[in-house]
Amino acid sequence: MIEFRSVTVTYPDGTVGLDDITLDIPAGQFVVVVGLSGAGKSTLIRSVNGLVPVTNGELVVDGSAVHGAKGRALRRLRARVGMIFQSFNLVKRSSVLTNVLVGRLHATGFLRSMLGWFRASDKQLAFEALDRVGILEKAYNRASALSGGQQQRVAIARVLAQQPSVILADEPVASLDPPTAHMVMRDLQRINRELGITTIVNLHFLDLAREFGDRIIGMRDGKVVFDGSGVQADDAV
Ligand code: ADP
Ligand code: ADP
């Protein structure tokens, strides 16, 4: 469960990223956030794992306060909240397996993982994650040798290896061609259904939002201007 209570995010230069947002996202929901560039989608997502600090209001993830969280509390939160980015954020010259093991680093955050000293159970989780997104046979390839869609699957596997309760995906398909974008969205939806991980995905396009969102949140100027199912979303944003 993710609870926003009158959440406002103001950037240091005074720009308002989120303007008094109140929302409940139940555990296991697949939420798609839509809106024009600058609407606040990315700020909304990044606030959930504390990448962007909440200026006012309360934001609670699985019972833990995100507003005001620092240090160890913030690291604990991030261990449970996985992020996927438009640009995949892989270490391109490293192997697929190494990239996925970074998810264990996010989950444990210990020095041993910084030394590359992973446990057998970490590798097991990494292989399972690669299997779940259908690229187990690529484990020992360099990330740079994979197509865009495959690289985004590596990023999804990295998040899964983290065993998160929440997945945040910030424009995860924006740099992919339409058929590949569709496949990656299907992967995210299947994972949500199979594992019950609460998922929030930012999208530019309403057609994908309608197809995949259990719930669509439309944003404009840092505010929620629509919140409902895909059928109603046609004229809203
Ligand atoms: P979206 O993801 O919908 O494109 P963003 O959340 O990125 O929207 O941006 C919301 C508003 O916050 C925009 O006006 C944007 O210019 C502003 N913004 C985003 N990041 C920063 C930042 N680091 N510093 C100042 N303003 C920012
Ligand atoms: P930026 O957001 O500009 O990439 P930051 O220093 O704010 O840089 O974040 C550091 C990086 O740590 C992020 O870009 C992201 O790759 C990674 N990161 C932070 N939190 C998480 C998380 N919960 N799961 C996965 N990766 C994360």
Side-chain angles (χ1 to χ4, degrees), residues 46 49-52 74-75 77-85 88-89 102-103 106-107 158-159 162 166 168:
R46 283 160 187 255
N49 79 342
L51 276 176
V52 170
L74 199 55
R75 286 198 296 277
L77 168 79
R78 287 183 178 164
R80 299 201 313 271
V81 180
M83 277 286 283
I84 296 168
F85 303 89
F88 320 137
N89 286 17
V102 170
H106 283 304
R158 178 177 58 191
V159 152
Q162 197 179 330
V166 177
L168 306 173

Side-chain angles (χ1 to χ4, degrees), residues 22 44 49 59 67 88 94 142 144 178 193 204 223 235:
T22 296
L44 183 85
N49 79 342
L59 174 50
H67 58 279
F88 320 137
S94 295
R142 272 183 194 227
S144 57
R193 300 291 189 253
H204 255 82
K223 296 190 181 71
D235 312 307

Side-chain angles (χ1 to χ4, degrees), residues 48 58-70 73-74 77 80:
V48 172
E58 296 180 356
L59 174 50
V60 177
V61 175
D62 290 341
S64 306
V66 179
H67 58 279
K70 296 195 199 62
L74 199 55
L77 168 79
R80 299 201 313 271

